[in-house]
Amino acid sequence: MSERITKDMAKNIYFGGGIFAILVFAGLTFDSVKQIPELSHAENITESVVLGKKIWENNNCVGCHTLLGEGAYYAPELGNVFQRLGSSDEASFKSYMQGWMASQPLNIPDRRKMPQFHLAPEQVDNLADFLIWTSKVNTQEWPPNIQG
Amino acid sequence: MKYSSQMVAKPYFIFALVLLAGEILFGLTMSIQYIYGDFLFPAIPFNVLRMVHVNLLIVLLLFGFMGATYYLIPEEAERELWSPLLAKITFWIFLVAGVATILGYLLVPYAELAQLTMNELWPTMGREFLEQPTITKVGIVVVVLSYLLNVTMTVIKGRKTTISIILLTGLFGLAFFFLFAFYVPDNLVMDKFFWWFVVHLWVEATWELILGALLAFVLVRLTGVDREHIDKWLYLIIAMTLIAGLAGTGHHFFFIGAPGYWLWIGSIASAAEPIPFFLMILFAYNMIKNRRIQDDNKMALIWAKGTAVVGFLGAGVWGFMHTLAPVNYYTHGTQLTAAHGHLSFFGAYVMIVFTMVSYAMPILRGRPHGNNAKAQKVELASFWLMVIGMIGLTLALTVAGVMQIEMQRIPDAANAMTFMDTQATLTAVYVVRSLFGVMVFAGLLTYFASFFVKHEKVAA
Ligand code: HEM
Ligand code: HEM
Ligand SMILES: [Fe+2]
C-alpha cells in the first residue's frame, strides 16, 4: 500500500486528520463539561464533601483503593462502599466509617493492611460525605455488582 | 559522535537506568506485600511503595527522552546544541528535585508531606501518577520549559527535519498537557475527566509522536534508508495516532460520570488505537528489509524491533482486550488493567529508551562501531531476560485479572465474592508474578554488566 502513498499525501493526512481529531475532541469535551454537573449531582457538593475530597487526596487513599474503578488494585473499590457497608443509610454508614478508620490496621497476620491515619471524627464524617456523594454519580450502572 | 554537545546526553541516560533499577526494586517489594501484607508494614505502606514505583517510572522516562533528544537534535539540526550548559544545569536541578521528592515520600507520612509543601495553597496532590507536591510539579514545568527552549533554539538555528519537527511537536504536547495536572476541581468527576488529559493524552497521543520520531531516527541511522521513505511512514503513524488517540480518550470516560455517548465514541475510536502501533512494526521491518548499510551495532536494531513488537503487544493487543465498553464494564480497575499498564509502558516507552541508549551510548563512549561482540552477546541475554520477564509478569497479571473478574464481577450480588476473598485465592498467581519480576531485575543487572565487558581501544 505504502508505494502508492507519497510523503506529501501522508503529511496532508497527518495535518488534516490531526486538526479534525482535535476539533472533534474539543467539541465533545465542551459538551461533557456542560453535562457533568447534572450527571454528578454537583448541586449536592457541600462544604463537607469538598473537605472530604481534600482528606482523600492528602492521605493518598487512591494509592491502595480504586474509586469508580481508577486508582490502585490492592484494596476494595470505594465508589459504592456506601451501599456495600452502609446499606445506603447515611447514619449507619457514618458510624461504620468512624469504627473502621479508628480500628486500622486490623491485627490479622499476613492480611493486607490499611494504615492508621489519625483522623479526627469530623474528618471521618467529611470522608463519609464525600464517599456518599461519589456513590450517587451516574456511572452508567457500573460496577456490575455490590462487591465493586 | 559528530557534535561534542551530544555528550550532555550521557548523564541523562545513566541516571535513567539507575532510576529504572530503583523502580523495579520497589515493584518487587510491592509484589511481596501483595502476598504478605505485613511485609515492611507499617514502615512503608503499599501506597508509598506504589507512588515511588510509578513516579520513578515517569521520571526515568522523562530523563530518557531528554537524553535521547540531546543526542538526536544536534545531528538532525547539524549544529551544536544551543546551550550545553543549560542542559547540564537542568540535569542537576531535575535530579535534586526528583531525589528530594522520592525521599519525601519515604521519610514522612503523605499527609505531612502535603502540609510541609503547603499543598493547601494550590492543592494538586493525592491523585494517581500525579502525587508529587505542587512545588515539585512547578519544578518539572521549569525543567521542561528550559529543555524545550534549548531544543527549540537548536532546531530554529539549524537544519529542520521531519524527525526533529515531530519530536518537538510531541515535546510541546507533553508540556502543554502536563498543565492539566494543576487543575483540581472540587467535583471529582471533572477532576477525573481532566486527569486523563495528562495521563491518556501523554501515553496515547503526545508521547507516541516522541516514540515515532525516536524510532525513525534510529532506523535512519542504522539502515540508511532515504528520508523521503522514513518520513512518509512517520507521518502515517502519527496521523493514525491523533485520529484514533484523541477521541480514544473516551475509553476512560465510560463509568466515571461522563455522558453516555462516550460508551460508543470511546469504544469505536480507541478500537483504532492499535493501528499506529501495528504500523510501527511494519515500519521497522520494512526499513530493515530495504536497508542500505550494515551497522555493527546489532543490538540497537534488535531493541528497535523489540520496541515495535512489544509496544504493539502491550498497547495494541492488551489495550484492545479491554477497550470496548461492554468488556471494560467487567474489567475496569482489575488486575487486567495492571497487566496492560505494565506491558505497554515497558514495551513502548522503557524499550525506546533502551533503544536510544544502546544506539548512542557506545558512540558516546568512543566506540563508533558499537560494542564488541562479547558485550553485545551479554546485552542480547539481558534483552531476552527483560522481555520474557515482562511478558511473563503480564501473563500472570492477566490470569489474576480473569480470575478476579470471574469470581468478583460476573456473578450476581448474592454469589459474588468480596474483593478481599477473591484476592486471597490469587496468591499463587502473585508468586509467579514476583518470580518473573526477579527475572526482569536480573535482566537489568545483565544489561549493566554489558557496559563493563572489556574493550580494546578501536583506532578512530
Ligand atoms: C520496567 C518495568 C515496569 C514498569 C514499566 C512498570 C509499570 C507500572 C505501572 C504503569 C503501574 C501502574 C499500573 C496501573 O495503574 O494500572 C505499576 C504498578 C505496579 N507494579 Fe510495576 N512496572 C514495572 C515493573 C514491575 C515489577 C518487576 C513488579 C514486581 C514484580 C511490579 C509490580 C507492580 C505492582 C505490585 C503495582 C501496583 C499494582 C496495584 O495497583 O495494585 N512492577 N507498574
Ligand atoms: C503505550 C501506550 C499505552 C500505555 C503506556 C498505556 C498505559 C495504561 C495505564 C497505565 C492504564 C491504567 C490507568 C489507571 O491507573 O487507571 C491504562 C488503562 C487503559 N488503557 Fe492503556 N496504555 C497504552 C495504550 C493503550 C491502547 C492503544 C489502548 C486501546 C486499544 C488502551 C486501552 C486502555 C483502557 C481501556 C484502559 C482502562 C482500563 C480500566 O478501565 O481499568 N491503552 N493504560
Ligand atoms: Fe487510554
Side-chain angles (χ1 to χ4, degrees):
Chain A
M1 67 147 194
S2 61
E3 302 315 318
R4 271 174 284 136
I5 302 176
T6 64
K7 175 176 161 186
D8 280 333
M9 284 159 74
K11 192 170 171 177
N12 289 338
I13 300 175
Y14 166 61
F15 280 109
I19 289 170
F20 175 74
I22 290 173
L23 291 178
V24 169
F25 185 61
L28 291 168
T29 297
F30 275 111
D31 184 73
S32 296
V33 168
K34 268 209 325 244
Q35 291 199 42
I36 284 175
E38 202 180 313
L39 289 160
S40 63
H41 305 289
E43 68 283 2
N44 297 336
I45 302 180
T46 60
E47 209 170 309
S48 178
V49 171
V50 173
L51 284 172
K53 181 169 183 278
K54 296 247 148 67
I55 297 164
W56 171 268
E57 288 162 358
N58 284 346
N59 291 285
N60 193 226
C61 309
V62 83
C64 292
H65 291 278
T66 47
L67 189 62
L68 304 187
E70 294 172 0
Y73 321 111
Y74 187 69
E77 160 71 31
L78 296 183
N80 66 342
V81 71
F82 173 51
Q83 286 89 342
R84 184 164 63 247
L85 299 181
S87 316
S88 303
D89 177 75
E90 301 205 1
S92 64
F93 179 62
K94 284 187 174 171
S95 77
Y96 189 94
M97 281 294 286
Q98 294 289 351
W100 179 265
M101 297 304 289
S103 57
Q104 301 307 310
L106 301 182
N107 187 15
I108 309 173
D110 284 346
R111 192 173 165 94
R112 295 180 192 175
K113 294 292 179 313
M114 168 159 156
Q116 174 52 247
F117 291 102
H118 307 288
L119 299 175
E122 314 84 76
Q123 290 181 304
V124 177
D125 266 350
N126 297 147
L127 267 177
D129 281 329
F130 169 62
L131 292 173
I132 292 168
W133 173 81
T134 303
S135 75
K136 294 177 180 163
V137 168
N138 177 344
T139 55
Q140 316 289 333
E141 313 285 313
W142 192 89
N145 66 45
I146 192 80
Q147 299 303 343
Chain B
M1 190 173 46
K2 301 200 181 88
Y3 301 92
S4 63
S5 55
Q6 287 176 288
M7 210 58 181
V8 298
K10 203 169 165 183
Y12 282 90
F13 286 149
I14 293 173
F15 195 57
L17 292 174
V18 170
L19 294 177
L20 179 62
E23 189 223 325
I24 294 175
L25 282 177
F26 276 88
L28 283 171
T29 315
M30 262 193 290
S31 79
I32 299 175
Q33 250 182 24
Y34 246 85
I35 303 164
Y36 299 109
D38 289 323
F39 182 67
L40 290 186
F41 185 90
I44 323 184
F46 182 85
N47 62 316
V48 174
L49 294 171
R50 190 183 205 276
M51 243 174 350
V52 176
H53 182 67
V54 294
N55 280 241
L56 282 176
L57 170 66
I58 295 168
V59 173
L60 90 85
L61 293 176
L62 292 178
F63 270 100
F65 291 168
M66 288 180 183
T69 319
Y70 288 138
Y71 183 86
L72 174 159
I73 286 294
E75 272 186 24
E76 288 294 293
E78 293 185 332
R79 50 160 291 141
E80 296 287 352
L81 201 59
W82 184 63
S83 169
L85 179 67
L86 184 61
K88 284 183 203 156
I89 295 174
T90 45
F91 171 78
W92 286 105
I93 295 178
F94 198 18
L95 182 145
V96 170
V99 171
T101 304
I102 301 292
L103 286 178
Y105 292 157
L106 290 169
L107 297 179
V108 289
Y110 193 72
E112 213 167 293
L113 185 64
Q115 216 167 27
L116 278 174
T117 56
M118 295 183 282
N119 189 52
E120 72 278 3
L121 293 182
W122 190 317
T124 64
M125 291 172 74
R127 296 173 310 147
E128 193 191 0
F129 300 121
L130 304 179
E131 295 94 347
Q132 312 82 21
T134 306
I135 178 82
T136 303
K137 291 196 181 86
V138 173
I140 294 176
V141 170
V142 171
V143 166
V144 169
L145 284 182
S146 76
Y147 155 67
L148 277 179
L149 173 72
N150 211 346
V151 178
T152 309
M153 290 308 289
T154 313
V155 171
I156 286 179
K157 296 193 164 189
R159 183 177 68 146
K160 293 154 197 70
T161 63
T162 303
I163 290 177
S164 60
I165 298 296
I166 289 173
L167 179 62
L168 259 187
T169 311
L171 294 173
F172 272 96
L174 178 158
F176 174 73
F177 286 110
F178 185 65
L179 297 179
F180 286 94
F182 291 92
Y183 176 61
V184 188
D186 289 336
N187 186 329
L188 177 75
V189 176
M190 287 287 282
D191 181 350
K192 282 174 172 292
F193 192 90
F194 286 103
W195 178 83
W196 284 112
F197 277 52
V198 186
V199 179
H200 173 100
L201 292 179
W202 266 14
V203 299
E204 287 158 75
T206 57
W207 288 22
E208 256 180 83
L209 267 58
I210 299 171
L211 169 64
L214 296 180
L215 196 61
F217 172 77
V218 173
L219 290 173
V220 167
R221 290 283 176 250
L222 293 177
T223 66
V225 172
D226 68 70
R227 282 187 185 258
E228 273 301 295
H229 206 57
I230 296 235
D231 290 355
K232 176 180 77 184
W233 274 93
L234 186 52
Y235 274 125
L236 284 178
I237 289 170
I238 61 174
M240 279 319 296
T241 295
L242 296 185
I243 293 167
L246 290 177
T249 318
H251 64 190
H252 304 293
F253 298 158
F254 298 155
F255 311 118
I256 62 165
Y261 53 68
W262 287 110
L263 295 172
W264 286 98
I265 295 171
S267 298
I268 293 168
S270 70
E273 281 190 53
I275 296 173
F277 288 96
F278 189 68
L279 288 178
M280 283 188 222
I281 301 188
L282 296 182
F283 178 43
Y285 280 86
N286 214 310
M287 295 311 108
I288 291 165
K289 202 178 82 194
N290 297 321
R291 75 173 136 189
R292 304 207 176 133
I293 51 176
Q294 290 281 349
D295 198 287
D296 292 329
N297 189 344
K298 300 259 180 336
M299 274 315 297
L301 206 52
I302 292 178
W303 280 110
K305 284 190 273 185
T307 304
V309 172
V310 185
F312 173 71
L313 278 180
V317 177
W318 258 266
F320 186 78
M321 224 180 255
H322 60 173
T323 209
L324 301 177
V327 179
N328 193 258
Y329 182 68
Y330 292 102
T331 64
H332 185 43
T334 61
Q335 296 299 324
L336 208 62
T337 310
H340 157 68
H342 276 91
L343 202 60
S344 56
F345 257 113
F346 177 79
Y349 298 119
V350 176
M351 283 185 73
I352 192 66
V353 171
F354 274 121
T355 305
M356 284 302 297
V357 172
S358 286
Y359 172 71
M361 243 351 213
I363 301 173
L364 293 172
R365 296 173 80 200
R367 300 166 181 177
H369 302 290
N371 292 327
N372 66 18
K374 177 137 182 281
Q376 292 204 34
K377 233 170 127 181
V378 176
E379 192 178 340
L380 184 63
S382 81
F383 172 91
W384 285 114
L385 280 170
M386 286 191 267
V387 168
I388 294 174
M390 286 307 292
I391 291 177
L393 182 156
T394 301
L395 286 172
L397 289 174
T398 306
V399 170
V402 170
M403 290 172 69
Q404 178 184 11
I405 292 160
E406 260 174 353
M407 289 182 267
Q408 181 197 325
R409 287 273 167 88
I410 292 182
D412 58 18
N415 297 304
M417 276 165 70
T418 68
F419 176 91
M420 291 301 282
D421 288 348
T422 307
Q423 292 296 314
T425 65
L426 299 175
T427 306
V429 187
Y430 291 133
V431 172
V432 174
R433 183 258 297 265
S434 297
L435 294 177
F436 278 112
V438 172
M439 183 169 173
V440 176
F441 191 63
L444 184 62
L445 293 182
T446 311
Y447 187 79
F448 290 157
S450 77
F451 276 70
F452 297 98
V453 173
K454 277 233 174 1
H455 236 264
E456 299 82 53
K457 270 262 177 297
V458 190

